[in-house]
Structure formats: structure tokens, C-alpha cells
Amino acid sequence: MAVLAILVAASFLAAATAASPVPAIYVLGDSLADVGNNNHLPTILRADFPHNGIDYPGKKATGRFSNGKNSVDFLADNLGLASPPPYLALSSSSANYVNGVNFASGGAGVSNDTNKGQCIVFDKQIDYFSSVSASLAQSLGQDQASAHLSKSLFAITIGSNDIIHYARSASSAAGDSPSPQPFVDALIQTLTAQLQRLYDLGARKLVFLGTGPVGCCPSLRELSATKNCSTVANDASVRYNAAAASLLAGMAARHPDMRYALFDSSAALLQFINQPAKYGFAEAKAACCGLGDMNAKIGCTPLSFYCSNRTSHIFWDFYHPTETTARMLTSTAFDGSAPLIFPINIRQLSAL
């Protein structure tokens, strides 16, 4: 049986390698990348109900926080791979981890305190990957498993929920808001250890999707009487992305076998928000699906209203982008250039 398992795993590995420049994608992060892990948790942070998925194949609500596909789905499409399945949906006895796994969980942050008890915290996601790495070593052999992981992409999107919580706390506090730099520094200190652990477990090609201009999501705009973007949140996002860039550059300097592509989601999405018509959008502020002012008081539920033309909206619900926005952002990250994606783009990273 052990020999058979190794042969089966090796055949999957050979097939994946032949079809794509990378054999697999391993995904960690938050709701921007969750493809259904939270469906298996006793949490309110779920999206496995209408109107989510209204534009997904079969009009099915899968647990994606979107009207259709998310960025991970488009990343997989661009690489000629199937979108990695949610880890919690896999049976450990029959799981085929060699084709990639998605550990992302809606609500997760860099800090384990962010939405604790409502999601798979980032450190726990890394724990799960550690188990997957060990399973691959057992089925493929350590050398082949290490080679497989070194060629695979590790897509990471994390930090938005930490910043949203920080901005909400700052907006409710009296007096002037303090600089977010100490908050960002603390996040980066934690993130440094987390990314180093992923490297130690075999990750060599990292796609880091920086946080977007979260202050411009409908939920945070709605906090303002003028409905403007939260400068506190956007400032924190810019600082976080800059610090993440320094962190990754430092890691690459220490580990010559590590390569990465960092996507400045904040700058990329602000282009759409500041000039929506130029990019084919008609609505840059309000959510497509929700209730209340700008559809931002209540999230997208079966009782919510939703727009008839989802391609005209940047935001699907009060936090998340539409499928159209996710597709366009992923396209830029895949084939774009600095300063939006650097030091190389995802296509170039995949080819290494």
C-alpha cells in the first residue's frame, strides 16, 4: 500500500508539473482568499449562502466572499491549475495535498487576537500546512517533497482585518488618532516569524498580496459623515505594505533560494477607486450587495438587496471586491510591473 501511495502521488505530481509552470498553489490568508474553510467552522464569518456566488458557476454560494470567483481562483486559472480546495473540506485519509491546498479563513489576521474564535488564525493555518508538508514527505519522500514545495507558489493575503479593527478602534477613540506606526511595527514583527516559519517548512516562491486601501471599503466609508475613505486605515495599509516589502527583501537577502512577488494592492485598487470610469466601473463607493446607506450597514445576506450589474461595481459587499475587480487586480499582479508588482510579477516568479 505504501508503494502504491507513493506511485499515485508521483503520478499526480508529474501531471501537474507537465500542465503548469508550477506544480501547485498553497494559499494562506483571510476572506479575500477563503474558498470555503469557514463553512466548516461554528462562526458568523461565513459566506455559504445567497447572494454570494450569484455569478459563480452554477450560481452556487461556495463560501467565497464574492459574487463569483476570488483572486485565488483567477491566479489558478492563469497558471492552468484548479483552484486549491479548502483544507477543512479534505479528508486526511484520502487528501491529495500534492495539487495544492487553501488554508485561508475569513476574518483571519496577522495577529491571533483578530477575530479569535471566529476563524482559523494565521498561525493555525501555518500549523495545518506543517501537517501537509509532513504528509507530502511521507508520501513522496523528503527530497521529492522538498523539490515539489520549492517549485510551488505560496499565495499569502493577510493584514486587512488587523487594520480594519485598528481603524474602527481609532475612530471611536476621543481626540486625535495616534500614528499607526507602532501598530504596524507590531504586526510586522509577528509576520516576520510567520513567514520565516513558512520558509522553514519548504516555501520558496512567495506571492504576497499586500493589503488594499481598506479605508475605502464601504463599511469604513460609512463611518464618515462625508462618506470619505478612512485616512487612518489607508495610512496604516500603506505603512504595512511598505514594511512587508522590507521584510520580504530582507528574507530574500538572507535566503538566496527564496523568491517573491509583492503586489501593492492599495495602489492598484486606488486607481480603480479614483478613476472608476477609466477602468469600466460606474460605482466606486457603495457595495453591490447589502442593506442601509451605501449597502454598508448590513452585509450581503439572503435578505439584502443586490445590484443587477455586478461588473459595474468595485465592491461586492461592505468589505470585499466583486469578481470583476478581483479578476482585474489578479491580471495586474500576474503580468504587471513595478511599482504595482515587484521585484518581479507572478508569471516571472512562476517561471523560475
Side-chain angles (χ1 to χ4, degrees):
M1 282 299 287
V3 173
L4 178 61
I6 292 173
L7 289 174
V8 170
S11 67
F12 274 119
L13 182 58
T17 303
S20 170
V22 299
I25 308 171
Y26 295 90
V27 182
L28 302 99
D30 54 30
S31 57
L32 295 171
D34 192 347
V35 294
N37 276 310
N38 279 21
N39 297 357
H40 304 274
L41 300 177
T43 176
I44 60 171
L45 303 178
R46 297 169 70 126
D48 56 341
F49 48 79
H51 303 293
N52 296 300
I54 191 170
D55 297 307
Y56 193 80
K59 298 186 179 297
K60 182 181 179 182
T62 59
R64 290 165 172 81
F65 293 77
S66 172
N67 58 301
K69 293 182 177 182
N70 65 22
S71 59
V72 172
D73 298 314
F74 289 117
L75 174 60
D77 287 347
N78 285 337
L79 290 169
L81 297 171
S83 190
Y87 176 76
L88 294 185
L90 299 174
S91 167
S92 59
S93 61
S94 59
N96 178 33
Y97 300 132
V98 77
N99 284 342
V101 187
N102 189 320
F103 305 93
S105 175
V110 173
S111 169
N112 290 333
D113 290 332
T114 300
N115 293 314
K116 187 175 183 179
Q118 292 293 321
C119 63
I120 311 171
V121 299
F122 194 42
D123 277 330
K124 185 63 177 179
Q125 292 180 38
I126 300 173
D127 288 344
Y128 284 149
F129 172 66
S130 178
S131 297
V132 166
S133 179
S135 178
L136 287 170
Q138 185 175 17
S139 61
L140 298 175
Q142 184 60 61
D143 289 347
Q144 192 169 1
S146 296
H148 167 73
L149 292 176
S150 71
K151 297 173 185 175
S152 298
L153 281 190
F154 286 76
I156 303 163
T157 174
I158 199 76
S160 294
N161 289 307
D162 304 282
I163 293 172
I164 288 170
H165 281 219
Y166 171 81
R168 286 188 172 277
S169 297
S171 69
S172 62
D176 296 333
S177 298
S179 167
Q181 195 59 51
F183 158 76
V184 171
D185 290 344
L187 282 187
I188 292 299
Q189 183 177 4
T190 301
L191 183 65
T192 299
Q194 292 164 332
L195 296 188
Q196 180 61 47
R197 188 175 173 214
L198 282 173
Y199 174 86
D200 294 340
L201 289 169
R204 293 296 182 269
K205 294 184 180 181
L206 273 61
V207 176
F208 193 88
L209 304 176
T211 56
V214 292
C216 294
C217 70
S219 180
L220 291 189
R221 275 188 188 269
E222 206 278 326
L223 296 178
S224 163
T226 58
K227 310 307 175 191
N228 290 328
C229 300
S230 164
T231 56
V232 172
N234 283 357
D235 182 24
S237 186
V238 168
R239 291 170 186 255
Y240 173 80
N241 289 343
S246 296
L247 163 57
L248 287 164
M251 283 188 69
R254 292 192 305 275
H255 306 297
D257 60 343
M258 191 196 103
R259 298 289 187 272
Y260 71 93
L262 190 151
F263 185 50
D264 189 345
S265 302
S266 183
L269 187 52
L270 275 176
Q271 291 183 337
F272 300 169
I273 291 169
N274 292 336
Q275 296 180 287
K278 178 180 177 180
Y279 295 95
F281 295 104
E283 179 55 65
K285 296 181 179 180
C288 169
C289 184
L291 286 172
D293 187 29
M294 297 197 308
N295 273 346
K297 286 284 192 183
I298 297 176
C300 187
T301 72
L303 300 178
S304 300
F305 298 108
Y306 65 93
C307 60
S308 58
N309 183 8
R310 272 77 68 188
T311 62
S312 68
H313 279 60
I314 290 177
F315 292 98
W316 164 239
D317 61 17
F318 54 11
Y319 286 126
H320 305 98
T322 57
E323 177 184 70
T324 296
T325 304
R327 174 180 54 78
M328 292 170 64
L329 290 173
T330 306
S331 178
T332 300
F334 200 82
D335 283 313
S337 58
L340 296 182
I341 180 77
F342 60 91
I344 54 178
N345 62 35
I346 298 176
R347 185 184 295 277
Q348 293 165 331
L349 178 66
S350 302
L352 293 176

